[in-house]
């Protein structure tokens, strides 16, 4: 289990590195380089719009790779999705700017971002199911939390690379070629991920299925459409909170508050380190107390924390900005530490890969694709403290709270130990 979970974590970290490095670049440099005819705020909005395309593509990737996972196994999904995401990310680093090729530059960004999202849409379901379906029932949330640590590791790798380059290069050098280096590094990381995943065994639950769904999506929409909508709505808050902290706040702090890029990246990265460390702790609580209670608690905490978060962010001071980000990510990890066990348990094995992947990535469209754009637009028309952003995020949290309330608990019942004659005599 340790070897399997570690390989899943590493692969997920690499794919999320690819996805996050684009978000960081969109917040910091893509606007002026690919949309120079726009105002600074409009250029950032346009760059975030290309960022959102990746989320729109993710459910399509979930359908495509979910079909492969339900028909042919979880393991092939991990290899093909990693190749697609890695190649697309390297290609983003090679796209000429608007000054070189005009409108073709942002169009190429859109296409490559779509392919990135397509690959990542299949990655999560394959990695999580391969781990969850191998794990013992009583520790399923713990082992399944390993791939959930991957996004934190990927974020730290992506932003650590940007932070190091920002510190080493001038602003002109970073804008001219420095921002491309983290994208090129994705190629080496993808090869590492392929090597780690080459020897993983197929899921035992998949091998036990005698009658595979012929068209998993059709069966899912016919028999489980309500469950798909509820899981998508339930997970929306996690995406909204995470990308508000890790993507929108970077643009807001550097453009509106004048905070240096290095300071803001450091604040967010420190909060993500704590979030990653807490993931297995929250997963253990999920194994002990159930998946649904933690999800409800995380949603409630997110709804209550969004207004303090934007108030702390608007100070422009490192410690309050760190605390605001940390509180939001603790609420996030309370939910998302257990969803890797929760979603597979909600769906029948024959449509599990498609169902869990589509539900998870539908939440990404509802929460992740819209949040940087909506938050940037709301902050543009706010005063010093962007209360509108806090209200938007709190509203998403309440929507997700309602969806989680309608979902059942799935934690397996603890095994009952048989009473032996000796134990019975002792109890008497």
């Amino acid at each position: 289990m340790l070897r399997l979970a570690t390989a899943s974590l590493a692969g997920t970290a690499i794919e999320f590195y690819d996805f996050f490095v684009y978000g960081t670049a969109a917040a910091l440099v893509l606007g002026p380089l690919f949309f120079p005819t726009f105002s600074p705020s409009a250029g950032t909005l346009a760059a975030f719009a290309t960022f959102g395309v990746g989320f729109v593509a993710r459910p399509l990737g979930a359908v495509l790779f979910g079909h492969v996972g339900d028909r042919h196994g979880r393991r092939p999904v991990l290899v093909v999705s990693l190749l697609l995401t890695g190649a697309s990310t390297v290609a983003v680093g090679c796209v000429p700017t608007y000054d070189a090729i005009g409108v073709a530059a942002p169009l190429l960004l859109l296409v490559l971002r779509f392919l990135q999202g397509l690959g990542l849409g299949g990655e999560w379901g394959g990695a999580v199911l391969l781990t969850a379906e191998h794990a013992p029932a009583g520790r399923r949330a713990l082992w399944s939390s390993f791939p959930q640590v991957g996004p934190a590791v990927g974020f730290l790798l992506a932003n650590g690379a940007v932070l190091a380059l920002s510190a080493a290069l001038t602003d002109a050098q970073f804008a001219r070629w420095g921002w491309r280096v983290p994208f090129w590094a994705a190629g080496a990381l993808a090869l590492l991920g392929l090597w780690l995943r080459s020897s993983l065994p197929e899921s035992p639950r998949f091998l036990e299925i005698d009658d595979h769904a012929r068209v998993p999506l059709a069966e899912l929409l016919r028999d489980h459409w309500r469950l798909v909508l509820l899981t998508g709505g339930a997970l929306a808050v996690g995406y909204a909170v995470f990308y508000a902290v890790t993507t929108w706040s970077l643009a807001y702090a550097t453009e509106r508050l004048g905070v240096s890029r290095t300071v803001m990246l450091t604040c967010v990265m420190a909060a993500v380190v704590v979030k990653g460390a807490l993931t297995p702790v929250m997963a253990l609580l999920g194994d002990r107390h159930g998946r649904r209670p933690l999800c409800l608690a995380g949603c409630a905490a997110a709804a209550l924390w969004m207004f303090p978060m934007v108030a702390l962010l608007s100070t422009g001071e490192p410690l309050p900005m760190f605390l605001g980000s940390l509180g939001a990510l603790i609420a996030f990890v309370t939910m998302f530490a257990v969803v890797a066990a929760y979603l597979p348990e909600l769906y029948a094995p024959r449509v599990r890969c498609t169902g869990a992947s589509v539900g998870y990535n539908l939440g990404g469209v509802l929460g992740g694709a819209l949040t940087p754009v909506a938050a940037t637009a709301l902050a543009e028309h706010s005063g010093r403290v962007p209360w509108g952003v806090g209200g938007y995020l709190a509203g998403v949290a309440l929507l997700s709270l309602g969806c989680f309330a309608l979902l059942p608990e799935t934690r397996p019942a603890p095994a009952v130990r048989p009473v032996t004659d000796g134990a019975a005599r002792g109890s008497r």
Side-chain angles (χ1 to χ4, degrees):
M1 278 306 308
L2 183 61
R3 181 177 67 87
L4 183 73
T6 302
S8 293
L9 186 159
T12 306
I14 291 165
E15 291 221 43
F16 273 90
Y17 166 90
D18 297 348
F19 205 71
F20 288 146
V21 77
Y22 189 100
T24 304
L28 299 178
V29 296
L30 294 188
L33 292 176
F34 289 88
F35 304 95
T37 59
F38 292 13
S39 68
S41 59
T44 300
L45 272 172
F48 279 150
T50 64
F51 176 74
V53 167
F55 287 98
V56 174
R58 282 174 66 167
L60 299 177
V63 171
L64 174 64
F65 288 104
H67 182 92
V68 174
D70 284 324
R71 292 283 298 166
H72 305 289
R74 321 312 191 196
R75 191 170 172 271
V77 171
L78 300 183
V79 175
V80 180
S81 63
L82 184 60
L83 280 173
L84 178 59
T85 309
S88 304
T89 306
V90 172
V92 170
C94 301
V95 175
T97 62
Y98 184 93
D99 289 342
I101 60 173
V103 72
L107 290 177
L108 282 172
L109 276 188
L110 279 173
V111 171
L112 293 171
R113 181 61 176 172
F114 182 88
L115 294 175
Q116 263 192 333
L118 205 66
L120 194 60
E123 154 66 24
W124 185 87
V128 163
L129 261 64
L130 200 62
T131 307
E133 292 181 338
H134 274 92
R139 284 289 180 263
R140 187 173 294 138
L142 174 62
W143 288 114
S144 300
S145 72
F146 274 63
Q148 291 297 81
V149 178
V153 176
F155 178 85
L156 292 172
L157 287 173
N159 286 275
V162 173
L163 187 62
L165 288 164
S166 296
L169 303 175
T170 66
D171 287 346
Q173 289 173 325
F174 185 80
R176 187 166 62 251
W177 59 268
W179 68 272
R180 299 181 184 273
V181 175
F183 289 91
W184 295 335
L189 291 175
L191 293 176
L192 173 63
L194 289 173
W195 175 73
L196 287 170
R197 289 181 165 179
S198 61
S199 61
L200 292 182
E202 184 52 83
S203 159
R205 291 294 295 138
F206 173 79
L207 296 175
E208 291 170 2
I209 300 172
D210 296 323
D211 183 23
H212 296 284
R214 185 174 181 181
V215 184
L217 180 64
E219 185 171 323
L220 186 74
L221 296 179
R222 184 185 68 240
D223 300 332
H224 307 286
W225 62 270
R226 182 176 179 272
L227 180 58
V228 172
L229 293 178
L230 284 176
T231 51
L235 298 180
V237 62
Y239 284 97
V241 168
F242 189 83
Y243 287 101
V245 171
T246 60
T247 299
W248 168 75
S249 69
L250 291 176
Y252 177 75
T254 54
E255 293 178 7
R256 291 286 301 277
L257 304 180
V259 178
S260 79
R261 183 166 59 223
T262 301
V263 168
M264 193 59 207
L265 280 171
T266 303
C267 290
V268 174
M269 288 174 65
V272 171
V273 168
V274 179
K275 172 252 178 191
L278 285 176
T279 300
V281 178
M282 294 300 180
L284 279 171
L285 292 176
D287 277 327
R288 175 168 294 186
H289 302 292
R291 293 51 162 132
R292 187 169 170 268
L294 265 73
C295 291
L296 292 172
C299 281
L304 294 172
W305 187 249
M306 291 303 97
F307 289 105
M309 183 193 76
V310 297
L312 291 167
L313 177 64
S314 66
T315 65
E317 298 296 326
L319 182 58
M321 290 190 301
F322 163 72
L323 293 175
S325 301
L326 178 61
L329 291 183
I330 289 175
F332 163 85
V333 78
T334 303
M335 297 172 278
F336 269 54
V338 297
V339 297
Y342 195 19
L343 261 66
E345 291 168 347
L346 284 168
Y347 289 91
R350 56 187 280 117
V351 294
R352 181 172 286 163
C353 194
T354 302
S357 297
V358 170
Y360 187 83
N361 289 293
L362 180 59
V365 175
L366 298 174
L370 299 177
T371 293
V373 175
T376 300
L378 289 168
E380 181 71 15
H381 301 289
S382 300
R384 172 77 180 183
V385 182
W387 296 118
V389 177
Y392 170 80
L393 294 172
V396 176
L398 293 175
L399 168 68
S400 293
L401 183 67
C403 292
F404 273 123
L406 295 173
L407 289 171
E409 178 56 74
T410 61
R411 180 172 65 105
V416 179
R417 295 176 61 188
V419 179
T420 64
D421 290 342
R425 285 194 297 270
S427 67
R428 289 197 295 268

